[in-house]
Amino acid sequence: MTGYRGSGHSAPFVGSDLAEEDFDRIRQLLLARRGFDLGMYKDQCIRRRIAARIRACGLARAADYIARLTAQDEEIDALLAAISIHVSQFFRNPQIFARLEADVLPQLARQALQRADRTLRLWCAGCAGGEEAYSLALLMDELAPQGLTVEVLGTDISPQVLDRARAGEYGLHRLSEVPPEVLERYFDRDGLRYRLCERIRRQVRFELHNLLDEGPYPAADLVLCRNVMIYFSRIDQQRILRRMAAALAPEGILVLGSAETIIGEPRQWFEPLFATERIYRCRLSP
């Protein structure tokens, strides 16, 4: 195992200091302990993030960090939180949200109104800073179905990004797809920052959640889980999709990222509804 920087070396540890065998050891640890596969990440990007975590731990050698990672389960989770890409935007890929607004959400609302609890449940899994969870809340606020209770849940593995999500405050670069009239109606500007109005923030609940943890997933009519599955091994993707199918209401909806698709066994549980937008309908509960 390498990574030794030499006695008296004062330069901070950087991504290029991470030897190939050390990177592979870290990758294997994450895969074995959390089913999290680094293989889909851009190599230099992920090396920089791992190096930043090593520095944050006050360490200067990859060997010392790997020893900590091997011994401490909590460091596995801390590294996962550090390397996960917590970047999103309101209405990212607007054609998908246009489809949700025009076709999917109205139909789900009609189905929910037929149930005794008259409640529509939307779950944004891997919600990052809350942009997409709030986008769903904004769409439902605009649709304003009468007599329906709407619950929006955002979950993520990082407590830090969940705190940012709850604050509901964003730079303009996160809002580039928000129509001007929506920005005007729902956001308050403070200098270079925009804060979502309290009424919408209160409609979204954020919780810490790891998709690989044991226990049932929250019941939902729609699961928005975009650009999350690519981080998991094929076996864990199937396990997650099976549990999502079990959590969804009959004919519930799953929305994946544009680079994600459903193959193999999960095809028996989901069928394409709008294939281009990666919107699937649950047709069978496992």
Side-chain angles (χ1 to χ4, degrees), residues 78-127:
L79 179 60
L80 277 177
I83 63 180
S84 300
I85 308 293
H86 295 114
V87 175
S88 189
Q89 284 183 310
F90 279 76
F91 303 111
R92 184 173 52 163
N93 305 121
Q95 72 279 9
I96 294 172
F97 285 91
R99 181 68 76 183
L100 293 178
E101 182 179 30
D103 298 300
V104 176
L105 291 173
Q107 176 61 29
L108 289 178
R110 286 191 289 271
Q111 292 171 194
L113 283 169
Q114 301 303 312
R115 298 197 296 257
D117 63 358
R118 301 170 72 85
T119 299
L120 179 67
R121 296 177 177 85
L122 311 176
W123 174 27
C124 183
C127 68

Side-chain angles (χ1 to χ4, degrees), residues 260-275:
E260 299 165 324
T261 190
I262 292 179
I263 61 173
E265 186 182 16
R267 283 182 172 173
Q268 66 183 297
W269 310 318
F270 295 98
E271 60 182 355
L273 183 60
F274 299 103

Side-chain angles (χ1 to χ4, degrees), residues 81 84 86 127-130 156-166 206:
S84 300
H86 295 114
C127 68
D156 202 281
I157 61 171
S158 170
Q160 290 79 20
V161 300
L162 288 173
D163 286 342
R164 293 206 301 270
R166 294 185 184 101
F206 292 101

Side-chain angles (χ1 to χ4, degrees), residues 89-260:
Q89 284 183 310
F90 279 76
F91 303 111
R92 184 173 52 163
N93 305 121
Q95 72 279 9
I96 294 172
F97 285 91
R99 181 68 76 183
L100 293 178
E101 182 179 30
D103 298 300
V104 176
L105 291 173
Q107 176 61 29
L108 289 178
R110 286 191 289 271
Q111 292 171 194
L113 283 169
Q114 301 303 312
R115 298 197 296 257
D117 63 358
R118 301 170 72 85
T119 299
L120 179 67
R121 296 177 177 85
L122 311 176
W123 174 27
C124 183
C127 68
E131 293 89 340
E132 292 193 337
Y134 284 134
S135 296
L136 291 174
L138 287 170
L139 289 182
M140 291 308 304
D141 197 68
E142 291 290 300
L143 290 170
Q146 296 298 308
L148 184 70
T149 299
V150 179
E151 296 180 354
V152 183
L153 171 66
T155 63
D156 202 281
I157 61 171
S158 170
Q160 290 79 20
V161 300
L162 288 173
D163 286 342
R164 293 206 301 270
R166 294 185 184 101
E169 188 176 301
Y170 303 92
L172 195 56
H173 60 292
R174 304 277 195 224
L175 303 164
S176 60
E177 301 292 350
V178 178
E181 63 274 17
V182 175
L183 193 65
E184 175 69 23
R185 188 153 64 244
Y186 290 100
F187 290 83
D188 297 316
R189 182 174 181 177
D190 183 8
L192 297 177
R193 307 287 291 175
Y194 290 78
R195 192 169 201 205
L196 187 60
C197 68
E198 183 177 0
R199 183 172 65 80
I200 299 298
R201 283 188 281 119
R202 289 168 63 90
Q203 292 178 15
V204 182
R205 188 174 82 257
F206 292 101
E207 294 182 358
L208 193 66
H209 182 261
N210 185 338
L211 288 169
L212 297 179
D213 283 349
E214 298 298 325
Y217 285 175
D221 295 285
L222 178 144
V223 178
L224 189 75
C225 185
R226 302 176 67 214
N227 306 310
V228 175
M229 302 295 284
I230 56 174
Y231 300 144
F232 296 106
S233 67
R234 185 67 66 192
I235 291 175
D236 282 320
Q237 286 181 17
Q238 292 197 8
R239 186 178 304 135
I240 290 167
L241 289 170
R242 181 188 302 113
R243 297 172 70 190
M244 285 181 175
L248 279 167
E251 300 194 339
I253 297 297
L254 171 66
V255 187
L256 297 178
S258 58
E260 299 165 324

